Amino acid sequence: MSTEAGMVQLTPKDFASDQEVRWCPGCGDYSILAQVKKVLASLGTPRENTVFVSGIGCSSRFPYYMNTYGFHSVHGRAPAVATGVKVANPELSVWVVTGDGDALSIGGNHLLHVIRRNVDVNILLFNNRIYGLTKGQYSPTSPIGRKTKSSPMGSIDFPLHPLSVAIGAEATFVARTIDVNVKHLSYVLDRAARHKGTSFVEIYQNCNIFNDGAFEYATGKDTKEDTAIYLEHNRPLVFGKDRDKGIQLNGMDPQVVSLGDGMTEDDLLFHDEKQAEPSLAYLLSRMHHPEFPEPMGVFRDIERSTYEDMLFDQISDAKKSSGPGKLEDMYDDGETWVVD
Amino acid sequence: MVVSTQKQDASVNTVETIEREEITVRFCGDSGDGMQLAGTQLTSTSAIFGNDVCTFPDFPAEIRAPAGTLAGVSGFQLAFGSRKLHTPGDRVNAMIAMNPAALKANVADLEPGGILIVNSDAFTKSNLGKAGYEENPLDGVDLNRYKLFKIPINTLNAEACSDTGLTGRAVGRCKNFYALGLVYWLFGRPLEPTLRWIDQKFGAKPSVADANTKSLKAGYYMGETAELFPVRFLVSPAKLAPGKYRKLSGNEAIALGLVTAAHQAGKSLFYGSYPITPASDILHELARLRKYDVRTFQAEDEIAAMTSIIGAAFAGAFAVTGTSGPGVALKQEAISLAVMTELPMVIVNVQRGGPSTGLPTKTEQADLGQAISGRHGETPLCVLAACSPGDCFDMAIEAFRIATEFMTPVMLLTDGYIANGAEPWRIPDVSTLPKFEVKHPGPSAEFEPYKRNDKLARPWALPGTPQLEHRVGGLEKQDITGDVCYVPENHEHMIHLRRQKIDKIADAIPPLEVHGDQSGELLVLGWGSTYGAIESAMERCRARGMNVSNAHLRYLDPMPKNTEQVLKQFKQILVPEMNLGQLRQRLRAEYLVDVMGLNKVQGKPFTILEIEEKVADLLNGKPS
């Protein structure tokens, strides 16, 4: 199918590389891979202008399966590699695929800094709350008490919450979605791709080998309506199979309330993803199962200058004020003298 | 002592002038005393005057150690001469010591009979105590072996600046210029370059400019009128090659070389770096050069600096990082990825004293092992070493030539000595600079990411090019296709290919050049910053009639093709290096030749004399 501009309209299939996908059968990664291809095809970004950068871990094999440019880099360092790619060529659409260990343990530092700089890259953090590729140790997002190979008596590390970390690092786009909810997943990916600046997306991803059912509460047919709450901009926070429950603010604290008996949607907390001040987004990121339904969707989407835009502004300002650089001028900078 | 600071008729003071070929001066004082600035000014002035110059700034790691203590002493040594200089001088001819601690830490380096100017105002009971002097050395006999001039610089400087309206503290900050003025008089230096500098630097603060000007002139006139100094010394301009010159430090030269390389290839320069002594000045220098499309990235850590340049190289920039030994150690895992992905980039290692934090502001050459084989796995890359501040410019360009021609990371070694040291640099004619032809494949259905050319280099295919979409990464590559491959024979084949590619660089570099007889009794073989001391020592040895030759390695991996042949022409081989013998071990292992070491690991460069004496001993049959 051709578009008006005569460009070939790509399909999801066009984004598949010739490599056999080697994740375990039943892994949540398959669903994410399929939705990423779908979203890229719908966005119309040429394959050659797309770069996937990853670190190490199961999720980090992702670039091999995409027929785009790809870089499977060093454990935890994908954000820094991606920064180099973007600064060297800002025309490229740059994606970082990472996991909970890659992004929050060995690569924690780089994650914070790419986010605070607001480099225009899309970060997809596949959170399965376990180390998969090294065969089942607890990760920085594993709950306290979680028994694994390296924590036979239960983990004694308090977990990090990826979205809270990202918001603390001044993220301009923060969202959460889940592998099996493909419609929502593709919606969030599309939103992330369209945001200018760092987009940070946490994707709940089931590891059916080492941590099967970690997100059962948010995906189970009978439970999902009560354990997840889907955020909509400028809409009240309503959830439940019968949409009869909501979140209300009691001072600084969110609480679950039932609608009816004088409690209306207008009494509930309204979501505002454009709030410059990140307190609301942070508050939402602190709502955890089982005390609260866990928010899904876009927590925060604000505008701020990107790192590369500011850098190129400086370069063009410098060229404007003193002309494009000539080597002779650079050598002559400072005091010179002539020997005859 | 009361000295007038008013200018008087110069004719009342007629002093003898002695011509010298070379003078070495050292300023020393507290790290807040402005000794580095005074030294830099004397350097610039001497260079502009036409001398050859060579500098050795030496400062503590602490920015402001407690005032008056030995830990806080900062020094700046420079030599200026009417002939080509290779080192900042073994022995100091004139020393300016601004306090007792500086005197104590430095005076042993002053030649007997040398000029010693001390700021007598600073020799208070408290300062003497901090420096560990029980008695005031200015009153004793120990300093009688020098020509001692006790000058109350604080007092005289304050008098000179009394009408500037500045506070006493601000006036005190000008005292380095008073001392500098005195030195200018003593060595017949023109004041104008420093006056111009004051004007540029403090133009917006007229009272500060005024005070510095008054201090400088007062120091100068004091020399002229006080009849303290029986002689002045004249060092005529050197016979340097004709051309336009500027003063250049090694770190500045690296920056200029990198920008030049990128410019000549029509590329943007990406410099990802984390601040570290003594490499940070490269970042500072490049950050000023935005109009040359220089993209500096101050990374969050050493690893991010390294991985960012890998990303930038992948996307087509001339990508460089600069660091020192501890930073290289942190980068090594990522450098392995650069080797595996065979992308062109440059890692500048400005070596400093190790291990660990070691001696951050001092020099050493102990990272050769780490450069050549400090990574996991069989991980060869090209290793170069610059031998002087000016050579840093040439080698930065050379590093990029090799990196892009052979698709490999290149590690360029310098060290604190040549990075901070400066010399006059003849500004190159841009039309004579090497041009780079960097080729990127265009769209093609036949593209294979790991298909090699006759140099064994793979194509540098850039994101943004249709049809060339491909994936690279740290997993072993299948030959030609670049796909992930775990086949045992393929792994071994690729291990060999990566090594062969680096070995092939030897076909594209100049042979090792021998100075002196091409065969004989003794070859002194150096690498990196020992060049200056070795070269000067050789001049002296040959002048004394010794049969000694020398050669200098700027390519460490691979080494020039004729290296073995050169080594086998000499009965004895001596390798001076600022480590325990890292090049020596490599030469012995590689070529099965007996190599002797002259090793010094004090955080200080070799003196000429140390090498000269060792050569004399070896030629006289003294065992090494």
Side-chain angles (χ1 to χ4, degrees):
Chain A
M1 194 176 89
S2 290
T3 62
E4 283 170 53
M7 299 282 289
V8 177
Q9 175 66 54
L10 298 173
T11 66
K13 242 181 156 175
D14 292 315
F15 282 91
S17 75
D18 59 355
Q19 299 294 298
E20 188 191 347
V21 183
R22 291 191 190 166
W23 288 311
C24 308
C27 176
D29 290 1
Y30 284 95
S31 164
I32 305 171
L33 178 62
Q35 293 314 309
V36 168
K37 288 181 200 162
K38 199 180 118 193
V39 168
L40 289 182
S42 73
L43 285 168
T45 313
R47 273 193 323 226
E48 67 268 20
N49 285 350
T50 305
V51 183
F52 277 84
V53 182
S54 65
I56 296 293
C58 292
S59 59
S60 289
R61 298 296 176 98
F62 198 96
Y64 289 121
Y65 308 136
M66 296 293 297
N67 190 11
T68 61
Y69 284 90
F71 210 127
H72 180 216
S73 76
V74 192
H75 204 1
R77 322 300 172 197
V81 175
T83 300
V85 170
K86 189 71 185 177
V87 172
N89 184 354
E91 303 299 313
L92 299 171
S93 166
V94 181
W95 297 71
V96 170
V97 177
T98 182
D100 37 319
D102 193 54
L104 293 168
S105 195
I106 193 166
N109 195 30
H110 311 302
L111 183 75
L112 295 180
H113 290 277
V114 74
I115 290 175
R116 80 171 166 96
R117 292 187 185 110
N118 202 32
V119 181
D120 186 18
V121 298
N122 308 309
I123 302 172
L124 310 182
L125 188 156
F126 298 10
N127 184 7
N128 56 17
R129 297 186 179 160
I130 197 79
Y131 282 152
L133 198 62
T134 51
K135 301 197 168 113
Q137 302 82 9
Y138 62 97
S139 91
T141 56
S142 298
I144 189 110
R146 169 86 186 147
K147 287 185 179 166
T148 70
K149 277 187 191 161
S150 57
S151 58
M153 296 171 72
S155 161
I156 50 174
D157 290 15
F158 292 102
L160 281 174
H161 303 293
L163 297 188
S164 300
V165 170
I167 294 164
E170 309 292 336
T172 55
F173 181 96
V174 175
R176 179 191 285 143
T177 183
I178 190 156
D179 54 5
V180 293
N181 189 346
V182 294
K183 215 172 140 191
H184 189 259
L185 174 58
S186 66
Y187 162 74
V188 167
L189 292 173
D190 181 78
R191 287 284 308 273
R194 290 174 194 279
H195 172 75
K196 183 130 164 82
T198 306
S199 306
F200 181 81
V201 181
E202 179 189 22
I203 306 173
Y204 282 173
Q205 174 250 321
N206 191 43
C207 172
N208 56 324
I209 304 298
F210 294 109
N211 201 16
D212 197 22
F215 303 104
E216 182 72 34
Y217 62 91
T219 58
K221 259 195 187 133
D222 303 333
T223 54
K224 64 182 181 187
E225 304 288 350
D226 292 315
T227 54
I229 185 164
Y230 285 83
L231 301 171
E232 290 176 80
H233 183 50
N234 280 336
R235 297 287 303 148
L237 272 71
V238 179
F239 70 105
K241 203 174 273 174
D242 304 318
R243 304 213 30 100
D244 59 349
K245 286 181 279 189
I247 301 294
Q248 192 185 37
L249 265 195
N250 179 11
M252 301 285 281
D253 302 317
Q255 58 182 18
V256 175
V257 293
S258 298
L259 292 172
D261 274 346
M263 177 71 71
T264 69
E265 289 195 355
D266 287 345
D267 299 319
L268 299 179
L269 175 61
F270 275 62
H271 183 46
D272 179 3
E273 60 190 37
K274 304 289 179 195
Q275 250 183 41
E277 171 58 37
S279 304
L280 171 64
Y282 187 75
L283 178 147
L284 295 172
S285 79
R286 302 290 299 168
M287 285 170 50
H288 301 300
H289 178 74
E291 291 79 13
F292 291 101
E294 292 192 341
M296 298 285 163
V298 178
F299 286 54
R300 178 168 170 78
D301 182 5
I302 62 156
E303 280 180 35
R304 183 179 294 159
S305 303
T306 66
Y307 178 85
E308 63 276 14
D309 279 355
M310 289 192 281
L311 174 67
F312 289 109
D313 282 350
Q314 288 192 351
I315 289 172
S316 68
D317 286 353
K319 284 180 178 168
K320 244 182 256 163
S321 67
S322 51
K326 280 167 62 187
L327 291 180
E328 290 89 341
D329 300 341
M330 179 175 74
Y331 301 151
D332 283 1
D333 190 28
E335 198 123 24
T336 62
W337 65 96
V338 173
V339 174
D340 296 317
Chain B
M1 189 181 77
V2 179
V3 180
S4 163
T5 59
Q6 296 304 303
K7 189 182 179 187
Q8 297 175 4
D9 184 354
S11 64
V12 299
N13 183 4
T14 48
V15 293
E16 189 191 351
T17 300
I18 297 175
E19 173 104 21
R20 286 276 184 90
E21 260 199 332
E22 178 184 347
I23 289 283
T24 292
V25 176
R26 187 185 296 175
F27 293 92
C28 49
D30 241 354
S31 37
D33 277 345
M35 296 295 94
Q36 301 302 318
L37 178 58
T40 309
Q41 283 301 314
L42 179 57
T43 306
S44 296
T45 295
S46 300
I48 293 164
F49 179 72
N51 297 129
D52 196 11
V53 295
C54 193
T55 75
F56 180 38
D58 189 24
F59 42 87
E62 293 73 20
I63 303 299
R64 294 278 189 278
T69 63
L70 289 166
V73 173
S74 169
F76 190 106
Q77 178 173 326
L78 75 149
F80 48 94
S82 59
R83 60 183 178 85
K84 179 78 192 143
L85 300 178
H86 300 295
T87 80
D90 280 9
R91 302 293 281 176
V92 176
N93 307 121
M95 181 175 287
I96 297 83
M98 297 299 279
N99 69 10
L103 178 71
K104 188 162 198 180
N106 288 280
V107 74
D109 294 334
L110 182 62
E111 66 175 358
I115 294 168
L116 177 61
I117 297 169
V118 297
N119 174 16
S120 56
D121 282 337
F123 283 67
T124 60
K125 200 169 172 212
S126 151
N127 279 347
L128 289 165
K130 282 183 208 162
Y133 280 119
E134 283 177 10
E135 313 225 321
N136 189 342
L138 304 186
D139 301 333
V141 294
D142 285 356
L143 300 179
N144 286 354
R145 77 188 82 148
Y146 309 113
K147 292 195 192 77
L148 175 64
F149 299 97
K150 296 180 268 190
I151 303 188
I153 292 179
N154 292 4
T155 310
L156 297 176
N157 181 59
E159 280 174 21
C161 297
S162 58
D163 61 351
T164 57
L166 292 182
T167 62
R169 200 184 159 83
V171 164
R173 279 196 213 111
C174 303
K175 66 176 181 287
N176 57 335
F177 272 32
Y178 189 95
L180 182 65
L182 191 52
V183 170
Y184 277 9
W185 177 82
L186 192 56
F187 298 107
R189 313 274 93 182
L191 294 178
E192 288 68 27
T194 298
L195 292 175
R196 279 199 298 275
W197 181 88
I198 291 172
D199 217 36
Q200 275 168 18
K201 177 86 181 169
F202 300 117
K205 296 177 193 160
S207 54
V208 177
D210 183 37
N212 278 289
T213 303
K214 286 193 160 118
S215 297
L216 183 75
K217 288 186 174 173
Y220 190 91
Y221 298 144
M222 192 267 190
E224 190 160 284
T225 57
E227 297 183 28
L228 273 177
F229 299 96
V231 292
R232 292 173 86 180
F233 298 89
L234 184 68
V235 180
S236 300
K239 286 173 194 66
L240 299 172
K244 184 151 65 160
Y245 282 78
R246 64 172 278 184
K247 183 184 63 132
L248 194 67
S249 73
N251 276 341
E252 288 168 340
I254 290 280
L256 298 193
L258 294 173
V259 175
T260 302
H263 188 273
Q264 292 297 88
K267 285 283 186 183
S268 58
L269 184 74
F270 178 92
Y271 187 78
S273 184
Y274 185 74
I276 184 170
T277 302
S280 304
D281 281 342
I282 303 172
L283 174 62
H284 306 159
E285 195 63 27
L286 288 171
R288 299 193 307 122
L289 299 174
R290 288 267 194 266
K291 72 171 173 173
Y292 297 88
D293 198 11
V294 174
R295 304 169 191 183
T296 52
F297 171 61
Q298 183 174 312
E300 58 270 23
D301 59 29
E302 294 283 355
I303 298 171
M306 185 62 216
T307 43
S308 71
I309 76 161
I310 293 175
F314 180 63
F318 264 28
V320 199
T321 186
T323 186
S324 188
V328 172
L330 282 163
K331 291 178 193 299
Q332 292 282 29
E333 185 202 10
I335 296 174
S336 256
L337 177 68
V339 169
M340 194 62 142
T341 52
E342 303 189 44
L343 288 164
M345 66 196 80
V346 174
I347 301 120
V348 180
N349 178 358
V350 186
Q351 299 165 96
R352 67 188 215 188
S356 190
T357 309
L359 304 172
T361 60
K362 311 294 177 190
T363 197
E364 205 158 282
Q365 293 183 297
D367 286 351
L368 182 62
Q370 152 159 269
I372 293 176
S373 52
R375 291 162 292 282
H376 60 287
E378 295 288 350
T379 321
L381 49 70
C382 176
V383 179
L384 310 178
C387 69
S388 67
D391 191 43
C392 288
F393 176 83
D394 298 328
M395 290 311 266
I397 298 175
E398 180 68 345
F400 259 118
R401 178 186 72 84
I402 293 172
T404 51
E405 211 171 299
F406 291 86
M407 289 293 284
T408 177
V410 175
M411 192 177 292
L412 172 55
L413 300 174
T414 75
D415 60 39
Y417 174 46
I418 53 175
N420 290 323
E423 62 185 12
W425 180 64
R426 186 153 67 117
I427 295 173
D429 175 354
V430 173
S431 66
T432 65
L433 290 170
K435 277 262 183 236
F436 277 82
E437 267 202 69
V438 178
K439 286 185 188 147
H440 302 290
S444 159
E446 309 295 306
F447 175 67
E448 303 274 19
Y450 273 70
K451 193 171 172 182
R452 295 161 195 280
N453 63 15
D454 57 340
K455 289 174 178 150
L456 299 182
R458 73 180 194 89
W460 191 6
L462 301 188
T465 317
Q467 294 186 300
L468 306 193
E469 295 88 357
H470 67 284
R471 276 64 57 192
V472 295
L475 288 168
E476 183 60 283
K477 304 282 170 288
Q478 186 177 53
D479 191 15
I480 300 172
T481 67
D483 289 338
V484 173
C485 181
Y486 301 111
V487 174
E489 290 75 16
N490 177 74
H491 174 54
E492 191 167 56
H493 174 62
M494 294 300 282
I495 291 277
H496 283 293
L497 264 181
R498 286 187 284 263
R499 181 67 241 178
Q500 283 163 13
K501 182 175 79 169
I502 298 305
D503 289 341
K504 262 188 169 300
I505 296 169
D507 295 336
I509 60 174
L512 183 61
E513 222 177 279
V514 177
H515 296 188
D517 293 345
Q518 300 300 298
S519 63
E521 188 61 37
L522 175 63
L523 176 76
V524 179
L525 181 65
W527 70 276
S529 75
T530 53
Y531 172 78
I534 294 174
E535 201 61 26
S536 299
M538 292 303 107
E539 284 169 11
R540 289 194 199 168
C541 289
R542 286 185 205 120
R544 286 168 62 186
M546 297 184 206
N547 178 7
V548 59
S549 304
N550 70 299
H552 208 77
L553 283 168
R554 294 154 83 226
Y555 300 83
L556 279 312
D557 196 2
M559 288 192 258
K561 278 169 112 176
N562 65 333
T563 305
E564 180 172 17
Q565 200 191 336
V566 166
L567 296 180
K568 299 214 157 145
Q569 303 308 311
F570 293 89
K571 283 189 196 147
Q572 301 186 82
I573 298 157
L574 176 70
V575 174
E577 47 186 338
M578 295 185 286
N579 58 45
L580 292 183
Q582 297 186 9
L583 177 64
R584 170 167 46 102
Q585 287 172 7
R586 193 168 154 72
L587 293 169
R588 294 174 82 132
E590 195 75 14
Y591 303 118
L592 288 174
V593 287
D594 192 12
V595 178
M596 292 168 293
L598 173 60
N599 304 97
K600 177 177 179 180
V601 205
Q602 300 174 1
K604 293 199 293 189
F606 281 102
T607 63
I608 301 165
L609 192 65
E610 283 164 344
I611 295 168
E612 188 183 352
E613 281 179 345
K614 181 73 185 176
V615 166
D617 284 353
L618 287 175
L619 291 175
N620 290 332
K622 281 197 195 162
S624 64

